[in-house]
Amino acid sequence: MRLVNKLELSGNLIACRLNPDGLGVSEFYLGEFVESSSFLVGNKGRWRRSVWDLGGVRREWKDGVVESLTVHGDSLHYSLSSGRGSLRGEVKPSQSGAELTEVEGGFAISSEGWTLALVTGGKLKVGGNSYEVSYDDGIEVAVAGGDSKALERARSLLGSGKDLESARREELSRSLQRVWNGHPLWDYCWYVILSNRVSVRHPVLRAPFTVPSKYTFRHQWLWDSSFHAVVLSLYDPDLAAQELENLLTSQRPDGRIPHEIFLSRAKCRDFWGVDDYSPPTTQPPVLAVAVERVLSEKWDDRFAKLALEALVSYDRWLERSRDEDGDSLYSYVHPLESGWDDSVRWDEVKRGEGMEPVEAVDLNSLVYKQRRVISWIARKLGEEELARRFEEKASATGRMVRTLMWDGERGLFYDLLPGHVKSRVKTPAAFMPLFAGLADVEQAEALVSHIFDPKEFWTHFPLPTVSADDPKYDPRGYWRGRSWVNLVWFTYKGLRYYGFREEASVLARRLVDTMGTTCRENYDSSTGEPMGAVDFGWSTLVLDVMRDEGMGQQAGRALKLASQ
Ligand code: GLC
């Protein structure tokens, strides 16, 4: 696969972007430990052509200078074929107190047990956290991240850029050849989900996992990884089960599964003010959906038991901690816990950083679904009594959603604000009862007409995070009007579940056509312009849609076309 003008490259923890405005590498990250927005930048200027492939990026300039950049594992190699000048840079360790130390031909910087070493054949001047590399006839720079041996590794990389490039090409080709079929979006999304994987020595993140985007979101999130596992289950159910491992092992004694697990403890402290790797919140309970998918692709008693125990205790935690009025409807208590950070849904109830509890339609649809999944697994494991108990719990929540959250006149589901007052904000969360399978047939029919109404949710990129006729609709607003692939996926699955096959296909086609060959965090709902983080994990859910639609041809043993 060759892409023109794609400037991003990632390895394991190292991720970087060639400078779009001139020579060099502008962005650089070593996970959450070290970061820079001007890593090695040179003269400003306009380049002629840049080609990305599995080996790395090669960029040509008008004056014949060629840059090449490759990253593999935690090593990076950058070279400029000719010319004279200098590249300047600055790096920031996430932990205060860590400093650059100068070593022969380069420098090293350490943070939370991680070391970054940079060496070059050129002349290097270091001062504080900044540095300058001057060169007379091209330049070569090598970077390695890791333990205290990083410096030696960086030194051994000088002169072996080509080896690093072939190692990268070989590894990526090996993992991708099983699934690639020549469809550009399909192939690109497989590259994204498989290359977003990270493996790290860490007290909590002990199993390898997938970050949402190596350029923006560089640790593990609960609902992101659940979506990742859904996609990975098409590739290898064992890998998908592994994606969920850290989430299960970091479950707290009270049953809560953490919202996110930071790579850097310092980052977590800065963001949440807690001295831990995780904040005290959770995220939308999509975990059960992922577990169901993994087990449907490949039943495994050991994993089923582990997941069952975790889900039962998570469900109890939700009962104890997110249902103040004991009515079997659960609440989000923090905007970030909802995953819909700045949504118009929370405008009325925001209080400082937090918010008043909202009995949300998506949350309760997911709790209903979680209980159905628990019941399914329990029955398969011969735990009939548990299965029956969770069926009853599911019904109780389902009934409350169908009655209290439904507005018959408008034909939509709404969140319940404190005092069981229906919110008036129309969002695609209203379609979650389709996904969960809890809506009745009339409700389902009413919902479909909203999905395809151009005044509401049938925008250029469908399903804006707030209806297009809402006064606050902003097609470029983060969760205030952009479109997100996970919400399209939920709705697509819901349409199919209720037998709206043609409608589902229309939605699928629009999704695939509008994404083109991009896999971004979200999209301007009115124009389809890609926005937010690049190479974004859960946007690869489009692969599951393509698989259902028969758009991704059969490839590999796990990619059987959906049979119904
Ligand atoms: C943003 C999103 C949230 C997501 C996280 C990681 O905060 O709003 O839903 O889980 O990024 O992708």
Side-chain angles (χ1 to χ4, degrees):
M1 173 178 255
R2 281 158 72 84
L3 298 169
V4 176
N5 301 348
K6 174 176 171 59
L7 303 180
E8 300 86 10
L9 269 188
S10 68
N12 182 47
L13 284 196
I14 290 186
C16 58
R17 173 180 282 127
L18 269 182
N19 182 7
D21 307 315
L23 280 173
V25 176
S26 51
E27 276 172 61
F28 175 90
Y29 307 96
L30 178 68
E32 289 180 309
F33 302 121
V34 179
E35 56 195 49
S36 172
S37 53
S38 54
F39 186 60
L40 273 176
V41 297
N43 285 345
K44 283 195 181 268
R46 290 175 76 86
W47 34 279
R48 210 162 58 87
R49 201 172 115 86
S50 170
V51 177
W52 176 103
D53 69 13
L54 289 187
V57 202
R58 193 184 147 88
R59 182 161 65 165
E60 290 160 24
W61 291 76
K62 284 212 183 72
D63 55 5
V65 171
V66 176
E67 278 176 297
S68 47
L69 174 67
T70 190
V71 177
H72 181 53
D74 287 315
S75 302
L76 172 152
H77 187 276
Y78 171 80
S79 70
L80 257 175
S81 65
S82 57
R84 57 183 302 165
S86 66
L87 296 168
R88 286 163 304 280
E90 209 176 69
V91 284
K92 199 168 78 182
S94 66
Q95 210 178 33
S96 50
E99 278 286 312
L100 280 187
T101 39
E102 212 170 331
V103 295
E104 206 194 318
F107 64 78
I109 184 171
S110 295
S111 183
E112 296 184 59
W114 275 80
T115 296
L116 174 80
L118 177 148
V119 292
T120 168
K123 275 187 244 89
L124 185 83
K125 252 198 329 217
V126 176
N129 285 338
S130 44
Y131 42 88
E132 183 172 349
V133 183
S134 0
Y135 54 94
D136 280 335
D137 181 23
I139 182 89
E140 201 186 345
V141 180
V143 174
D147 53 19
S148 51
K149 301 250 168 58
L151 183 61
E152 284 161 41
R153 289 222 318 280
R155 285 201 177 112
S156 71
L157 279 171
L158 284 180
S160 42
K162 283 280 161 223
D163 298 346
L164 198 68
E165 190 182 310
S166 350
R168 175 187 169 86
R169 195 186 299 281
E170 206 182 298
E171 192 195 291
L172 283 172
S173 318
R174 208 179 319 117
S175 62
L176 289 165
Q177 69 187 7
R178 276 179 49 195
V179 277
W180 273 13
N181 70 9
H183 186 297
L185 178 61
W186 175 272
D187 290 358
Y188 186 55
C189 285
W190 279 116
Y191 160 77
V192 169
I193 195 68
L194 293 173
S195 68
N196 277 9
R197 219 152 168 76
V198 160
S199 170
V200 66
R201 278 174 295 110
H202 192 278
V204 187
L205 295 166
R206 289 193 288 261
F209 65 97
T210 307
V211 297
S213 165
K214 287 194 173 171
Y215 311 92
T216 313
F217 300 108
R218 306 186 299 275
H219 59 250
Q220 185 164 18
W221 272 262
L222 174 54
W223 77 323
D224 294 73
S225 273
S226 305
F227 293 126
H228 300 157
V230 166
V231 177
L232 289 171
S233 73
L234 304 178
Y235 181 82
D236 175 357
D238 293 333
L239 198 67
Q242 188 187 54
E243 175 74 12
L244 305 176
E245 211 170 299
N246 295 325
L247 307 175
L248 300 176
T249 56
S250 64
Q251 182 166 33
R252 299 296 149 113
D254 66 0
R256 182 174 60 87
I257 302 191
H259 178 148
E260 53 189 332
I261 310 166
F262 283 74
L263 265 183
S264 155
R265 199 177 171 111
K267 277 260 169 192
C268 182
R269 202 177 41 231
D270 286 354
F271 194 90
W272 288 98
V274 291
D275 190 18
D276 198 348
Y277 288 101
S278 293
T281 39
T282 189
Q283 255 196 331
V286 184
L287 180 60
V289 172
V291 166
E292 183 190 37
R293 274 304 279 272
V294 172
L295 288 172
S296 316
E297 291 292 336
K298 182 184 165 199
W299 183 267
D300 169 350
D301 264 356
R302 191 200 65 89
F303 180 68
K305 284 182 189 147
L306 196 79
L308 179 65
E309 202 181 313
L311 290 173
V312 167
S313 118
Y314 186 38
D315 204 86
R316 273 204 210 105
W317 176 80
L318 284 163
E319 272 179 335
R320 278 195 310 266
S321 318
R322 293 295 182 266
D323 186 12
E324 251 182 3
D325 55 3
D327 63 353
S328 293
L329 287 176
Y330 303 87
S331 306
Y332 286 132
V333 300
H334 194 289
L336 299 184
E337 182 166 278
S338 73
W340 293 46
D341 307 5
D342 63 344
S343 169
V344 175
R345 295 166 76 188
W346 324 131
D347 283 4
E348 263 186 66
V349 288
K350 270 191 100 170
R351 300 286 174 265
E353 290 286 289
M355 70 183 198
E356 291 184 61
V358 174
E359 293 177 341
V361 60
D362 45 354
L363 172 59
N364 286 284
S365 303
L366 289 167
V367 170
Y368 171 87
K369 179 73 188 167
Q370 169 165 296
R371 292 172 167 180
R372 299 293 306 224
V373 172
I374 290 175
S375 174
W376 172 70
I377 303 174
R379 186 154 292 131
K380 295 266 273 184
L381 291 173
E383 297 198 39
E384 190 52 36
E385 151 62 22
L386 185 65
R388 224 171 290 130
R389 195 146 47 84
F390 272 87
E391 243 158 44
E392 276 162 28
K393 281 175 186 287
S395 304
T397 298
R399 204 175 318 115
M400 292 296 273
V401 172
R402 263 193 315 275
T403 50
L404 291 191
M405 295 185 167
W406 180 248
D407 182 327
E409 223 167 275
R410 293 181 167 79
L412 264 188
F413 286 102
Y414 290 92
D415 296 328
L416 297 181
L417 306 179
H420 281 181
V421 175
K422 269 194 206 91
S423 149
R424 282 290 161 233
V425 184
K426 292 191 283 183
T427 76
F431 309 131
M432 288 298 289
L434 292 179
F435 175 79
L438 70 77
D440 65 34
V441 172
E442 276 141 48
Q443 290 172 331
E445 272 163 10
L447 291 172
V448 173
S449 62
H450 290 281
I451 296 174
F452 294 97
D453 183 342
K455 290 193 293 308
E456 298 183 302
F457 295 104
W458 196 245
T459 45
H460 184 81
F461 197 119
L463 309 190
T465 30
V466 68
S467 174
D469 61 2
D470 188 293
K472 291 182 176 164
Y473 165 68
D474 170 4
R476 302 174 75 77
Y478 197 48
W479 287 93
R480 304 177 71 83
R482 290 190 202 175
S483 295
W484 293 71
V485 177
N486 61 337
L487 302 185
V488 176
W489 178 78
F490 277 132
T491 308
Y492 168 80
K493 289 289 191 186
L495 286 170
R496 279 174 75 88
Y497 182 84
Y498 280 83
F500 296 105
R501 285 298 173 102
E502 268 171 44
E503 289 80 353
S505 296
V506 170
L507 179 60
R509 197 148 288 287
R510 179 66 81 87
L511 174 70
V512 169
D513 289 350
T514 329
M515 283 177 81
T517 46
T518 68
C519 187
R520 291 284 286 273
E521 184 185 3
N522 40 45
Y523 293 82
D524 177 321
S525 52
S526 66
T527 63
E529 183 192 327
M531 299 187 76
V534 294
D535 293 357
F536 189 72
W538 83 41
S539 296
T540 65
L541 283 167
V542 68
L543 290 168
D544 190 49
V545 173
M546 292 172 82
R547 203 268 303 243
D548 281 357
E549 291 292 316
M551 292 181 196
Q553 287 154 26
Q554 191 162 6
R557 100 192 128 71
L559 291 175
K560 28 188 194 314
L561 292 175
S563 53
Q564 24 141 1

